[in-house]
Amino acid sequence: MDYDLIKALLEKYWAGESSLEEERQLKQYFSQADIAPELKPFQSVFQLFAQEASPSLDEDFDRRLEQRLHQQAKTVRLSTADKRPARFLYRRIASAAAILLLAVATVWWVWPETAQKPAVASNVDWEKYECPNPEDCLEQVQMALKLVSGKLNKGTDVAASGLEKMEVATSILK
């Protein structure tokens, strides 16, 4: 082949602009024994491409592959068989713990004696429900009702002032 043609084909090849036919011509040229001395370094590249294009397998490749796959499947079966009892035991223990937790929560909720007593007002003596003197009990109830009434009135006043502010704001927006 012509040296100038091969040089031009190489430039197109390295630029990524060569066609398949031109690449075939380059491979054919570099597979020859008679190559220009300036192009000798490129011969090994194209020979490597030719070798990689047609990989070959050993005669006993299939047999070795089957043996490895069989061995892997065997080890996978053994390893999963060993883990089954551990997983089964873990699930049993987790189930028992969940049932125990549910039972304790139910008992805690059903029996109010075990639950915490609610916070109460400090100025009311709730331990004196069985009063020997009914007037003392009446006085304590009245004190408690006054306390509740005062708190409710304070809340009503705060709500009313907030409502007035909202009415002013909505009138401005209209």
Side-chain angles (χ1 to χ4, degrees), residues 109-130:
W109 184 68
V110 169
W111 285 320
E113 292 85 26
T114 59
Q116 258 186 343
K117 290 185 178 181
V120 295
S122 60
N123 61 351
V124 178
D125 187 12
W126 293 99
E127 299 297 325
K128 291 186 178 180
Y129 282 127
E130 296 180 21

Side-chain angles (χ1 to χ4, degrees), residues 71-102:
Q71 186 67 23
Q72 250 184 349
K74 191 175 181 181
T75 57
V76 167
R77 272 189 252 123
L78 288 176
S79 66
T80 56
D82 293 342
K83 292 179 183 177
R84 283 185 189 147
R87 287 182 187 163
F88 181 73
L89 181 62
Y90 174 74
R91 287 181 182 162
R92 289 289 181 155
I93 291 173
S95 299
I99 290 170
L100 182 65
L101 182 65
L102 186 62

Side-chain angles (χ1 to χ4, degrees), residues 6 10 76 82 98-99 108 120-122 131 148 157 159 168 171 174:
I6 295 299
L10 273 175
V76 167
D82 293 342
I99 290 170
W108 188 267
V120 295
S122 60
C131 296
V148 170
D157 293 341
V168 170
S171 67
K174 287 182 181 178

Side-chain angles (χ1 to χ4, degrees), residues 5-171:
L5 174 67
I6 295 299
K7 192 99 164 136
L9 288 177
L10 273 175
E11 287 179 22
K12 283 179 74 175
Y13 181 78
W14 296 125
E17 299 170 351
S18 62
S19 66
L20 291 176
E21 178 61 30
E22 292 168 339
E23 289 177 19
R24 189 187 59 73
Q25 288 175 356
L26 284 172
K27 288 176 188 176
Q28 183 181 4
Y29 175 77
F30 284 108
S31 65
Q32 299 174 12
D34 185 29
I35 297 175
E38 300 88 27
L39 300 177
K40 278 277 187 197
F42 300 117
Q43 184 178 16
S44 61
V45 172
F46 283 95
Q47 285 177 349
L48 178 68
F49 289 156
Q51 287 175 352
E52 291 296 320
S54 60
S56 62
L57 300 175
D58 297 0
E59 294 288 327
D60 62 337
F61 176 77
D62 290 335
R63 182 186 54 79
R64 287 185 291 140
L65 180 64
E66 285 179 9
Q67 283 179 346
R68 278 196 183 163
L69 290 175
H70 181 69
Q71 186 67 23
Q72 250 184 349
K74 191 175 181 181
T75 57
V76 167
R77 272 189 252 123
L78 288 176
S79 66
T80 56
D82 293 342
K83 292 179 183 177
R84 283 185 189 147
R87 287 182 187 163
F88 181 73
L89 181 62
Y90 174 74
R91 287 181 182 162
R92 289 289 181 155
I93 291 173
S95 299
I99 290 170
L100 182 65
L101 182 65
L102 186 62
V104 168
T106 303
V107 167
W108 188 267
W109 184 68
V110 169
W111 285 320
E113 292 85 26
T114 59
Q116 258 186 343
K117 290 185 178 181
V120 295
S122 60
N123 61 351
V124 178
D125 187 12
W126 293 99
E127 299 297 325
K128 291 186 178 180
Y129 282 127
E130 296 180 21
C131 296
N133 187 359
E135 284 118 20
D136 290 340
C137 288
L138 180 63
E139 185 179 331
Q140 286 183 1
V141 170
Q142 285 176 343
M143 279 181 20
L145 288 175
K146 283 180 185 177
L147 176 70
V148 170
S149 175
K151 299 282 183 182
L152 285 175
N153 287 339
K154 185 177 179 183
T156 305
D157 293 341
V158 170
S161 69
L163 186 59
E164 289 173 5
K165 290 177 184 176
M166 283 297 294
E167 288 176 359
V168 170
T170 51
S171 67

